[in-house]
Amino acid sequence: MDVAAVARCVVRCYVSPAFGESEPLRLSDRQFLRLSLSASLSPHLSVSRSLKLHEQSHERRLSFFRPIMATDESISSDCAGETQLINGKQNNIVWHNCPITKSDRQQLIKQKGCVIWITGLSGSGKSSLACALSRALYNRGKLSYILDGDNVRHGLNSDLSFKAEDRAENIRRVGEVAKLFADAGIICIASLISPYRKERAACRALLPEGDFIEVFMDVPLHVCEARDPKGLYKRARAGKIKGFTGIDDPYEPPLDCEIVIQNNGDNGFCSSSSSLSEMADNVVTYLDQNGYLKPF
């Protein structure tokens, strides 16, 4: 594309309704457009020269491109002060509906999107169950994805500490992402300690009734501490970790969860769950009986 075509495209951006609120072209910008157009018509004025003339001012260059880079999801710094809040939300944010719905996506992959939220103390087997469950679903041709409490802190939540407010934000973010997976028709397996009922209830409230399946790994503290696969209990007992769930921070067990998996401390998991594969099969059976492994 020659410079004249680029210039015409720029002019259209400025007069397009999508950029109706953008600031008008400044004098220097109009001069640059004329130079660009002249460069395409005159053999004596090179394109590089016209560009160098405009690049003499970094501030002018930024002001020139700012309206072009604006999108429906961005607000320039000039307008940020004018944004008002309505019920705690910006009044310029509007939900955009898509004709392809959750039902369409579920029909396409022949399953029902939901969130399986595995909660329990550290060392209770949450991550192990999540992986076994994902494998069992895969073997049945069903699509799932695991949001592991440790894994999400390597990326999505890498900016969060283990302070109370950051731990709450960690759960909130995972809940929101899990909701998106479920809306895509995917069976999302969230595996986190998530020690407080209030935060788990808030994640449940994000989804339609029945689409949040809480699995409680009911394993006593002494069993988890004896396992201590990451050495965290030892460090917490030594005072090297503060606010560790089960030691100096409480864990609130679910009161009305959908699935409970218990451990007797000696012979593995009871309640007909003596192995990871059997535990996973129990969850798959629940999903099958409640229609999650078919679109409708």
Side-chain angles (χ1 to χ4, degrees):
M1 182 183 293
D2 58 23
V3 175
V6 173
R8 287 193 295 271
C9 179
V10 170
V11 172
R12 284 196 296 271
C13 289
Y14 271 93
V15 300
S16 169
F19 297 88
E21 296 181 2
S22 300
E23 62 185 74
L25 281 172
R26 297 180 181 179
L27 178 60
S28 60
D29 299 328
R30 291 197 295 269
Q31 290 172 341
F32 172 68
L33 289 177
R34 286 199 296 271
L35 281 172
S36 300
L37 289 169
S38 300
S40 64
L41 299 175
S42 173
H44 304 292
L45 184 60
S46 66
V47 173
S48 61
R49 181 184 172 190
S50 65
L51 290 174
K52 288 179 180 178
L53 287 173
H54 186 70
E55 290 174 354
Q56 292 175 354
S57 171
H58 180 67
E59 182 179 357
R60 288 202 303 269
R61 184 166 70 253
L62 290 177
S63 66
F64 174 69
F65 282 104
R66 184 170 58 245
I68 299 175
M69 293 188 295
T71 68
D72 290 341
E73 298 177 355
S74 65
I75 305 172
S76 69
S77 58
D78 295 338
C79 300
E82 300 177 2
T83 301
Q84 298 178 354
L85 297 180
I86 298 178
N87 295 328
K89 297 182 179 180
Q90 292 181 347
N91 64 358
N92 61 331
I93 298 177
V94 180
W95 184 267
H96 185 82
N97 288 315
C98 179
I100 302 300
T101 65
K102 179 180 179 181
S103 295
D104 295 323
R105 293 186 286 271
Q106 292 180 153
Q107 184 66 42
L108 182 66
I109 59 179
K110 295 179 172 53
Q111 63 183 55
K112 186 177 179 182
C114 64
V115 173
I116 301 173
W117 193 280
I118 306 176
T119 177
L121 292 169
S122 177
S124 60
K126 300 181 301 299
S127 296
S128 298
L129 173 59
C131 292
L133 176 57
S134 185
R135 168 59 65 180
L137 290 169
Y138 177 84
N139 290 340
R140 295 191 56 164
K142 302 304 176 183
L143 183 60
S144 66
Y145 194 85
I146 298 173
L147 295 177
D148 183 82
D150 280 354
N151 291 356
V152 295
R153 283 186 173 272
H154 283 81
L156 175 67
N157 294 341
S158 61
D159 60 322
L160 300 178
S161 70
F162 287 91
K163 295 179 180 179
E165 59 271 19
D166 279 3
R167 294 184 73 182
E169 174 63 11
N170 178 61
I171 300 301
R172 188 196 69 82
R173 290 185 191 179
V174 173
E176 290 286 355
V177 174
K179 172 188 173 182
L180 296 178
F181 272 106
D183 189 61
I186 297 171
I187 298 173
C188 182
I189 307 168
S191 171
L192 305 94
I193 294 176
S194 45
Y196 303 121
R197 298 187 189 108
K198 180 180 178 180
E199 293 167 1
R200 297 195 301 266
C203 292
R204 180 186 290 270
L206 293 173
L207 289 103
E209 182 70 26
D211 284 1
F212 186 94
I213 303 161
E214 192 171 16
V215 179
F216 174 36
M217 302 295 289
D218 187 9
V219 183
L221 175 61
H222 72 273
V223 175
C224 296
E225 193 168 358
R227 294 174 178 173
D228 202 10
K230 304 172 188 176
L232 298 177
Y233 284 102
K234 182 178 180 180
R235 294 173 61 192
R237 291 292 187 186
K240 296 179 180 180
I241 301 178
K242 301 296 183 182
F244 191 76
T245 302
I247 303 300
D248 55 353
D249 202 61
Y251 176 82
E252 299 174 352
L255 300 177
D256 55 355
C257 60
E258 283 73 16
I259 301 173
V260 177
I261 297 178
Q262 296 178 318
N263 185 299
N264 59 19
D266 296 319
N267 300 317
F269 288 87
C270 62
S271 300
S272 302
S273 299
S274 58
S275 68
L276 278 173
S277 60
E278 290 181 7
M279 286 190 286
D281 287 341
N282 286 345
V283 180
V284 171
T285 298
Y286 177 93
L287 295 174
D288 200 10
Q289 292 176 347
N290 288 273
Y292 290 97
L293 303 186
K294 53 186 177 181
F296 299 104

